[in-house]
Amino acid sequence: MKHIYSLLAIALVLSSCGSEKKQSVEDVIATNNLELIHQKKAELETIEQELAGQLKLLEIKIKEIDPLEKIPLITTFEVKHSLFQHYVELQGNVDTKQNIVIYPEYSGVLSNVYVKEGQRVTKGQSLAKIDDGGLNQQLAQLKIQTALAKTTFERQERLWNQKIGSEIQYLQAKANFDAQEQAVGQLQQQLSKTIVRAPFSGTIDDVITEQGSVVSPGQSQLFRIVNLQDMYIETDVPERYITELAPGKDVKVDFPILNKQIDAKVRQAGNFINPSNRTFKVEIAIDNKDRTIKPNLTAKLKINDYTNDNAILIPQSIISENAEGKQYVYAISDKADNQAKAKRVFIETGKTQGDYIEILSGLENGSEIINEGARSVKDGQSVKILNIE
């Protein structure tokens, strides 16, 4: 560059010397003659263009003969062991095993509804009453008959123990008492079906049938009850991950609609491969103490399938590939100050995460790798390092 500036100065001097016979710029301006000013400006522009062309030729020649001008500029970084966690990115839906519609077990008129929508209920709590159609009266009569059968049996048993009376009378009294007790138990069981109870603790999400309606077992939907505490996410995972996604694996869960992220773990990994799409089921248990997560909500999942505590990671953008398909990067050798040589290093790569890739072999902890300029250097070429610390 010093040569260029010297030549430029000489050219300007020569130009000025050659123009001594001509009017100077100041003289031309002083004439206040527009035509002369235009002429002077055109002369100077021509000289400027000629100098620019000459400078370009000089720069090209300097780059040809000056070895320092051919050295590419690069930046480097030092590879170090770091924690590498690879995640499988999937999508799943929130579900709960405690989300059911309650049906009646007895036919009749829904005489009473004790709950309303949004109400919290506990397991076994009465939700509604179906008219029993006179079962209570039948039960009362059966209890009276059972009491009589019991008294008869007890007396007959005392006589039999005293060797009074026949055995057949004793057995008949016992059989009659047992039959009455069974009839009472059956009627009580049937009567209990007229009370609709909560199968688990949760929230009444919907009261489907109103009080006064006629209901039938297996046909009339009465209530929807949901428990929002025991929630989970279910997703389909490609079969190639079946040996890597086991119960206990860490999961990052994102609910875009709620703008909420939580950490969870795999609760269950299926052992059955669906032949139609070659996937298996995975369940992720989630904490929902604030009850903001609802069934059928969409969730984005990142499931940790691989972890390396001492991984070497480099940007994918600096990796090249030769004609044989082998991958390589450029390290530096023979470093002296900011001068070094580029050295091609063949590598084997593993899993990727974002813009980085794991190096399985070829690089060691502490190796200095070319970053910017990696695509423009050659093996053994001298390079100039910019990132000197």
Side-chain angles (χ1 to χ4, degrees):
M1 292 302 292
K2 291 181 179 179
H3 299 300
I4 294 174
Y5 293 136
S6 300
L7 291 170
L8 179 59
I10 293 170
L12 289 173
V13 171
L14 292 173
S15 175
S16 62
C17 292
S19 61
E20 286 180 354
K21 297 179 182 179
K22 299 180 181 179
Q23 289 180 307
S24 66
V25 174
E26 290 77 7
D27 293 338
V28 173
I29 293 174
T31 63
N32 206 28
N33 187 321
L34 181 61
E35 184 177 354
L36 290 176
I37 294 173
H38 277 300
Q39 290 178 357
K40 191 65 176 178
K41 181 175 180 293
E43 290 175 8
L44 294 176
E45 288 176 346
T46 302
I47 294 172
E48 181 184 16
Q49 291 176 359
E50 291 176 354
L51 290 175
Q54 293 172 5
L55 288 172
K56 187 67 176 177
L57 293 173
L58 292 171
E59 288 176 358
I60 294 173
K61 192 60 180 178
I62 289 171
K63 288 183 178 180
E64 290 179 0
I65 62 179
D66 189 351
L68 294 177
E69 290 291 333
K70 296 182 179 181
I71 297 179
L73 303 178
I74 63 163
T75 63
T76 64
F77 67 94
E78 185 178 330
V79 295
K80 295 181 179 179
H81 285 150
S82 60
L83 174 65
F84 175 60
Q85 292 182 313
H86 184 266
Y87 293 92
V88 181
E89 298 187 12
L90 301 165
Q91 182 170 301
N93 291 321
V94 178
D95 204 349
T96 174
K97 297 184 185 299
Q98 294 185 330
N99 175 18
I100 65 169
V101 173
I102 299 176
Y103 288 84
E105 296 182 274
Y106 190 81
S107 297
V109 177
L110 193 64
S111 57
N112 296 98
V113 175
Y114 304 129
V115 294
K116 58 184 178 181
E117 293 177 357
Q119 180 176 335
R120 291 277 302 160
V121 296
T122 57
K123 182 178 180 179
Q125 181 178 333
S126 297
L127 307 180
K129 175 74 170 66
I130 302 172
D131 184 72
D132 59 32
L135 284 182
N136 262 316
Q137 290 80 0
Q138 295 180 33
L139 180 60
Q141 292 176 3
L142 270 178
K143 285 182 176 180
I144 293 172
Q145 295 173 7
T146 302
L148 176 60
K150 180 180 180 182
T151 301
T152 303
F153 168 66
E154 289 174 347
R155 290 181 178 179
Q156 193 66 43
E157 185 178 30
R158 285 196 298 270
L159 291 173
W160 175 245
N161 290 335
Q162 296 173 10
K163 304 301 182 182
I164 300 173
S166 64
E167 182 179 5
I168 191 64
Q169 290 176 320
Y170 164 73
L171 294 176
Q172 286 177 343
K174 185 177 185 304
N176 185 42
F177 174 56
D178 290 342
Q180 289 295 326
E181 278 194 323
Q182 290 182 5
V184 169
Q186 290 175 356
L187 197 56
Q188 286 177 330
Q189 185 178 7
Q190 192 173 3
L191 190 61
S192 68
K193 294 179 180 180
T194 63
I195 304 294
V196 181
R197 300 184 184 276
F200 51 81
S201 297
T203 303
I204 300 300
D205 192 62
D206 191 11
V207 177
I208 302 172
T209 303
E210 299 297 330
Q211 184 172 306
S213 302
V214 177
V215 297
S216 301
Q219 297 182 2
S220 305
Q221 298 182 349
L222 302 183
F223 310 98
R224 176 177 290 277
I225 182 172
V226 181
N227 185 348
L228 296 180
Q229 289 185 333
D230 186 19
M231 308 286 284
Y232 68 95
I233 299 171
E234 187 174 75
T235 185
D236 293 326
V237 181
E239 63 178 342
R240 65 179 180 271
Y241 297 109
I242 196 166
T243 59
E244 299 168 352
L245 298 189
K249 287 285 188 177
D250 292 329
V251 185
K252 295 183 182 297
V253 184
D254 179 27
F255 300 98
I257 299 299
L258 302 178
N259 193 24
K260 180 177 182 178
Q261 296 81 34
I262 63 172
D263 294 325
K265 290 185 179 294
V266 173
R267 179 169 69 184
Q268 179 181 346
N271 296 308
F272 172 74
I273 303 296
N274 188 335
S276 62
N277 57 10
R278 311 307 303 174
T279 63
F280 64 98
K281 297 287 185 183
V282 166
E283 283 186 11
I284 297 100
I286 55 176
D287 186 8
N288 192 28
K289 292 180 180 178
D290 57 1
R291 298 187 178 89
T292 57
I293 302 171
K294 311 297 183 183
N296 299 316
L297 196 64
T298 299
K300 293 182 178 180
L301 308 173
K302 289 184 177 180
I303 307 177
N304 176 225
D305 66 320
Y306 171 76
T307 300
N308 186 349
D309 295 328
N310 294 306
I312 291 179
L313 304 176
I314 65 171
Q316 297 186 61
S317 59
I318 68 172
I319 298 177
S320 301
E321 189 173 294
N322 63 12
E324 299 174 353
K326 294 182 179 180
Q327 294 179 315
Y328 62 88
V329 295
Y330 284 103
I332 62 170
S333 62
D334 302 331
K335 183 177 179 181
D337 295 329
N338 65 337
Q339 302 288 325
K341 290 186 179 296
K343 179 182 178 182
R344 181 182 297 171
V345 179
F346 288 98
I347 58 173
E348 291 184 10
T349 57
K351 296 180 179 293
T352 61
Q353 192 69 54
D355 296 331
Y356 287 85
I357 189 167
E358 179 189 21
I359 303 302
L360 301 179
S361 65
L363 297 178
E364 296 181 355
N365 187 44
S367 299
E368 194 168 357
I369 307 301
I370 297 178
N371 188 8
E372 295 181 14
R375 301 281 186 179
S376 60
V377 299
K378 297 179 180 179
D379 189 30
Q381 184 178 15
S382 296
V383 292
K384 184 176 181 180
I385 305 170
L386 293 181
N387 54 330
I388 302 176
E389 297 182 358

